[in-house]
Amino acid sequence: MEQYSRLDTRTQSAAQADLVRLLDEAATLTGLNRAAWARQPQGDQEFAVLPETTPEATVLGPFVRHLATCLSALNARSATPRVRLRLAVDTGVAADAALGHAGPAPVAVARYVNAPQLKAVLAALTEADLAVIVSDRLYQDVVRSGQRDLDPAQYVRAHVRVKEFGGYGWIRVPGHAPDDVRSAMAEAPELKSSPDAGALSGTALSQYVHQGAAVGRDVVGGLTVGLPVPPPPSGSGLAR
């Protein structure tokens, strides 16, 4: 949630309640059962694992659309602070761990949702309520598959480098043209200050994908949603 830390304690509490309500409403309208999500509370963040049968196209299409609609309705209420969200979506390993979940998908989603390009897009497109980034794997396998509600032309590619992570992501802002997104991405300060921004670095472009889906969004951190991964067989070091 953009500028969440600037809110006072009472308003932060109200904003968290709004966030939960938004996710509940969007899931219900999409036909997703939030009660079946394995959710990991993290203060102003949430990590959640969706049932394995959840279609990625349903998350990328109807869920995103309904979330944008619910956000618009919420922000129409002048008495409340405006809620603006970043949403990151990936597919891959997300295994149960002692403090929540482990695996490349949660790590990748956390990096995607904090991509400087995504932050720049939301900051520059002031009328937007939601900015979405999906991994290259999801874009290639799902968005470009011809699914209804998914238009590949609405996404703009970004080379994301955050901490040790490097990979391609595709950014979309509901209600805004791709050219607007490209112009906004160019304003990312980290990119303008980097001499090789836009060039491929030696960092491995890793999507860390296997099976399932992880969806993430951010409240000065990130909400992640993914498909459950059964524990690996005895003696195996790979969570699938």
Side-chain angles (χ1 to χ4, degrees):
M1 184 179 297
E2 188 183 57
Q3 299 184 350
Y4 173 88
S5 61
R6 298 185 182 184
L7 305 176
D8 59 29
T9 301
R10 181 182 60 82
T11 311
Q12 285 181 354
S13 179
Q16 289 188 28
D18 283 337
L19 171 61
V20 173
R21 185 163 55 252
L22 284 167
L23 295 172
D24 288 347
E25 290 176 356
T28 298
L29 290 170
T30 306
L32 299 175
N33 180 14
R34 278 266 286 169
W37 296 12
R39 297 161 56 187
Q40 178 184 331
Q42 298 178 0
D44 61 356
Q45 308 175 41
E46 178 184 287
F47 180 92
V49 178
L50 272 65
E52 187 174 0
T53 55
T54 305
E56 292 96 333
T58 298
V59 177
L60 298 179
F63 179 77
V64 168
R65 184 179 71 252
H66 289 307
L67 181 59
T69 300
C70 292
L71 266 170
S72 179
L74 174 67
N75 288 331
R77 303 191 330 234
S78 59
T80 60
R82 187 178 177 194
V83 177
R84 307 182 74 218
L85 307 176
R86 300 197 306 273
L87 168 67
V89 188
D90 195 8
T91 180
V93 175
D96 290 340
L99 297 178
H101 293 82
V107 172
V109 166
R111 302 302 182 245
Y112 279 127
V113 85
N114 285 301
Q117 297 96 326
L118 191 64
K119 293 180 178 180
V121 164
L122 194 60
L125 302 180
T126 57
E127 294 181 359
D129 293 320
L130 177 66
V132 182
I133 184 169
V134 305
S135 69
D136 187 61
R137 173 62 176 260
L138 275 178
Y139 178 82
Q140 302 298 339
D141 289 356
V142 180
V143 176
R144 296 187 61 191
S145 66
Q147 299 268 1
R148 189 175 64 178
D149 294 327
L150 298 178
D151 181 4
Q154 293 301 308
Y155 294 78
V156 177
R157 192 173 73 162
H159 179 214
V160 177
R161 288 185 296 172
V162 179
K163 296 185 177 181
E164 74 288 348
F165 175 83
Y168 284 116
W170 294 80
I171 296 177
R172 172 196 167 208
V173 178
H176 286 73
D179 285 344
D180 296 333
V181 175
R182 291 187 186 92
S183 297
M185 283 171 53
E187 297 303 312
E190 291 87 346
L191 298 181
K192 292 199 292 186
S193 63
S194 174
D196 62 343
L200 295 181
S201 71
T203 303
L205 300 181
S206 49
Q207 297 301 329
Y208 306 114
V209 292
H210 224 63
Q211 61 183 4
V215 179
R217 63 165 290 295
D218 179 52
V219 184
V220 181
L223 158 76
T224 306
V225 183
L227 297 185
V229 180
S234 178
S236 171
L238 176 64
R240 303 174 69 90

